[in-house]
Amino acid sequence: LVAAHIPFQLLPESIKSSSCPIIYVCRDPKDVFVSLWHFANKLRPKELPPLSIEEAFDLFCQGVSPFGSYWDHVLGYWKASKEMPNKVLFVRYEDMKSQPVPLMKKLAEFIGCPFSYEEENNGVIEKIIDFCSFENLTSFEVNRIQKERKTLPGTNIANNVFFRKGNVGDYKNYMTVEMIKRLKEITEERFKDSRLQLYTDA
């Protein structure tokens, strides 16, 4: 089991050509931006001033982020999911939050481990959803303490930095009406030929 932020185009050929299923989770670009802005400031050297939301927003709109343009990233996996539906499953974060049971059943079938009738009746799906919930994961001591993990050479990141709110629509607490409008226009323009629709309404 491997978790990564690598764009589909940069995945090793050994992964693309293997029988390993790929599940891609995308999220509303507005919430992605706000989450990325908070994360970037937590990692920012203390000797530097915090990155303003305005500056971060301009960079995001230009496609400047650690793993490349948000739109290119999403489109890469979206196109792969259409070309190889048995290999790549495209999932929306918002659906994970609003429709966890049917999505969990879909995930299980996709990886070849569908739930049995008995498991469904015994509430196994709901138990898995509860165990994997944001609330439960953030309650684990390992995710609450300041213990650091090594990522890139010379970089240590505390485990609790990877958890903030996990909410849908938190962007409304940070973005202006103008920002929301601009991001919606960019998203619609970038996705217009793909038939991909995300949660871009204010």
Side-chain angles (χ1 to χ4, degrees):
L1 180 63
V2 177
H5 289 80
I6 302 173
F8 184 80
Q9 298 88 326
L10 298 183
L11 286 177
E13 196 57 42
S14 59
I15 292 180
K16 294 181 182 179
S17 60
S18 74
S19 60
C20 177
I22 297 174
I23 299 172
Y24 180 76
V25 181
C26 80
R27 192 179 183 185
D28 184 317
K30 301 184 292 296
D31 280 329
V32 168
F33 161 68
V34 169
S35 178
L36 180 61
W37 171 57
H38 280 285
F39 187 70
N41 272 324
K42 288 178 181 178
L43 300 186
R44 199 168 171 84
K46 291 181 171 53
E47 59 269 19
L48 296 177
L51 185 67
S52 71
I53 191 169
E54 292 81 10
E55 183 180 356
F57 183 72
D58 284 337
L59 291 171
F60 187 81
C61 289
Q62 294 172 42
V64 180
S65 62
F67 296 94
S69 159
Y70 162 86
W71 299 277
D72 289 342
H73 204 292
V74 172
L75 284 174
Y77 283 94
W78 171 253
K79 292 176 180 176
S81 73
K82 294 303 173 186
E83 295 169 358
M84 301 177 289
N86 296 326
K87 169 77 174 176
V88 182
L89 180 64
F90 191 93
V91 175
R92 293 174 172 82
Y93 181 79
E94 291 76 11
D95 293 338
M96 291 173 59
K97 298 286 284 187
S98 65
Q99 306 172 53
V101 172
L103 184 56
M104 181 64 69
K105 293 171 68 174
K106 185 176 183 179
L107 290 175
E109 291 175 4
F110 179 72
I111 64 173
C113 300
F115 293 103
S116 67
Y117 180 77
E118 290 76 15
E119 287 174 327
E120 289 192 36
N121 278 346
N122 291 330
V124 171
I125 298 177
E126 288 79 4
K127 290 176 183 176
I128 293 175
I129 292 171
D130 182 62
F131 182 79
C132 297
S133 69
F134 184 88
E135 292 74 21
N136 193 50
L137 291 178
T138 53
S139 72
F140 294 161
E141 183 180 0
V142 69
N143 292 328
R144 287 190 286 107
I145 60 178
Q146 296 287 333
K147 182 178 180 180
E148 296 184 340
R149 66 170 80 170
K150 288 189 179 294
T151 51
L152 298 174
T155 302
N156 294 325
I157 303 176
N159 287 347
N160 61 1
V161 169
F162 292 92
F163 297 89
R164 195 173 69 86
K165 291 183 179 180
N167 294 338
V168 172
D170 189 49
Y171 69 88
K172 296 175 183 177
N173 297 315
Y174 299 93
M175 295 176 66
T176 64
V177 173
E178 290 74 20
M179 286 177 168
I180 293 172
K181 180 182 178 182
R182 181 181 175 192
L183 207 51
K184 180 179 180 180
E185 290 174 348
I186 294 173
T187 302
E188 289 178 346
E189 174 62 27
R190 292 298 308 274
F191 290 167
K192 68 178 182 180
D193 296 327
S194 68
R195 296 184 179 178
L196 171 59
Q197 294 184 349
L198 295 183
Y199 301 81
T200 55
D201 293 332

